[in-house]
Amino acid sequence: MKYNTFVQIFYKHRLLKAKKIRYILLKIFLPLIYIFNLIFDKKIIDLDDYSQKNQQLFKKDLNYLFEHFNSDKGEKFINQYQKPIKRTNEKVKGHNYHIFYENYLSKIKNSYLDILEIGSFRGNASAALYFYLPQSIITCVDLYPDLFLYKSKRIDNFYLNNSSEKEIEKKILKNEKKYDLVIEDAGHYYKDQIISLFKIFPKLKPNGIYVVEELDFPDTRLDMNLKNEHPTLKEILLSIKSNKDFHSSLISDDEKKFFLSNYNSIEILKGSFNNICFIKRNDTKT
């Protein structure tokens, strides 16, 4: 974890609120706090080496793997969003998304799959998918790629700001690669969810699956939709499921037309706390 990442994630809000003297003190002591936290941070794991010593993981179900690698997509996980120095081994309730993922992935788990994960954070879900989908190639993108705790010949990891159309265009759309599975688990903001889906959906292969986690955040959390804008992505998808028209300034006519002509199904499900959505592309090559 780089110093700037550490400050952005754990101290940005404090610096913004701090009065002059406190601000100065924070700026002075933050480098020391950062170094001290690095001592407690986890080291990078080479999954190719790790798998040689843990072959049994290739036979485990997805919930086991999510919990083993500490992803919040399973039943339980250790809070990964605290500073390294404050982390404990206490497990808290996860999103329980594993059931839904297995329903979609169990039949294709041994197929060669190209996966794009938007919002990889520490890489815990990616590590779980490495074992559950043993023939997969996983592309992981995040605002802070230096947080990623894993490496492998089957995993690529780089910077992407999915709130930027230009970034998506440059790093995803101009790439010739297409995907069998796209998992959008990034910032969950109103704009980000919409532009990510409608811009990246054409990059799905026939029968590909696009997943949106915490779909309901822009509807239920003010910090994810500061201007209370509508329609949210959830509202758009519900309109499509009901064969109703929709209009959004964030979606071009071509993007709308492509999506409506190429999606096969939309399923919105409820985990422990939030909605997750699975959108399947039809089997037509366009």
Side-chain angles (χ1 to χ4, degrees):
M1 180 189 337
K2 294 179 180 177
Y3 175 71
N4 287 339
T5 297
F6 177 79
V7 174
Q8 282 288 317
I9 292 176
F10 299 114
Y11 282 93
K12 180 181 177 181
H13 62 294
R14 295 189 186 183
L15 288 168
L16 288 173
K17 293 180 180 180
K19 294 183 179 179
K20 189 174 182 179
I21 295 177
R22 182 173 176 78
Y23 179 86
I24 293 171
L25 288 173
L26 279 172
K27 294 293 279 188
I28 292 172
F29 287 106
L30 269 176
L32 294 174
I33 297 171
Y34 165 70
I35 292 170
F36 194 54
N37 272 271
L38 279 187
I39 298 171
F40 293 89
D41 203 12
K42 293 184 177 180
K43 307 304 179 185
I44 292 176
I45 296 173
D46 186 324
L47 288 175
D48 298 332
D49 291 340
Y50 187 79
S51 65
Q52 295 300 313
K53 302 172 184 177
N54 295 274
Q55 287 287 307
Q56 75 280 3
L57 291 178
F58 287 109
K59 300 178 181 179
K60 299 297 185 180
D61 63 36
L62 201 45
N63 184 54
Y64 182 97
L65 292 169
F66 280 150
E67 190 166 339
H68 181 83
F69 288 105
N70 198 35
S71 168
D72 63 0
K73 300 184 196 304
E75 289 181 7
K76 295 179 180 179
F77 75 109
I78 296 170
N79 187 352
Q80 59 180 327
Y81 305 108
Q82 292 181 321
K83 286 183 291 186
I85 195 174
K86 288 191 174 182
R87 286 184 194 134
T88 67
N89 290 321
E90 180 184 358
K91 291 191 175 182
V92 296
K93 191 172 183 178
H95 282 291
N96 263 318
Y97 290 156
H98 63 281
I99 302 168
F100 312 132
Y101 273 105
E102 290 221 43
N103 286 341
Y104 278 89
L105 300 179
S106 59
K107 293 180 181 179
I108 58 172
K109 68 185 305 290
N110 291 312
S111 302
Y112 175 90
L113 301 174
D114 282 306
I115 301 171
L116 172 63
E117 184 186 32
I118 306 169
S120 302
F121 199 59
R122 304 295 273 179
N124 301 329
S126 306
L129 293 174
Y130 171 96
F131 286 95
Y132 187 72
L133 304 171
Q135 306 302 320
S136 61
I137 302 296
I138 309 172
T139 301
C140 304
V141 298
D142 197 275
L143 276 173
Y144 306 107
D146 52 297
L147 287 173
F148 208 78
L149 289 174
Y150 305 92
K151 64 179 181 178
S152 163
K153 293 177 181 177
R154 293 201 282 121
I155 294 178
D156 190 17
N157 171 44
F158 58 87
Y159 170 87
L160 177 74
N161 178 1
N162 74 309
S163 68
S164 167
E165 292 95 331
K166 289 183 179 180
E167 286 267 337
I168 293 174
E169 174 76 26
K170 179 182 177 181
K171 297 186 177 180
I172 304 296
L173 304 188
K174 287 187 176 180
N175 191 319
E176 292 183 1
K177 194 168 190 177
K178 292 206 169 187
Y179 302 96
D180 299 281
L181 173 64
V182 176
I183 300 172
E184 198 276 281
D185 186 22
H188 312 302
Y189 294 102
Y190 161 78
K191 175 189 174 184
D192 301 11
Q193 285 188 340
I194 294 173
I195 66 170
S196 294
L197 172 59
F198 283 89
K199 290 190 177 301
I200 296 173
F201 189 77
K203 298 294 287 183
L204 274 183
K205 297 178 187 178
N207 292 314
I209 302 165
Y210 190 105
V211 185
V212 187
E213 296 194 13
E214 285 81 85
L215 174 67
D216 52 320
F217 267 15
D219 302 88
T220 59
R221 286 182 50 170
L222 179 61
D223 58 329
M224 300 296 166
N225 189 358
L226 293 173
K227 296 181 181 179
N228 193 27
E229 296 176 270
H230 295 274
T232 61
L233 181 56
K234 182 177 179 179
E235 291 170 335
I236 290 169
L237 295 175
L238 288 173
S239 293
I240 295 171
K241 283 174 65 68
S242 302
N243 294 315
K244 295 179 181 178
D245 195 15
F246 66 92
H247 300 280
S248 171
S249 61
L250 297 172
I251 306 168
S252 71
D253 290 340
D254 287 343
E255 290 166 348
K256 178 178 178 180
K257 181 179 179 181
F258 184 92
F259 184 89
L260 294 177
S261 300
N262 288 279
Y263 88 93
N264 175 269
S265 62
I266 298 170
E267 187 174 23
I268 299 173
L269 301 157
K270 178 70 180 293
S272 299
F273 315 106
N274 302 106
N275 291 149
I276 183 172
C277 180
F278 289 80
I279 304 163
K280 192 165 185 180
R281 184 170 172 175
N282 60 27
D283 58 5
T284 305
K285 292 184 179 181
T286 304

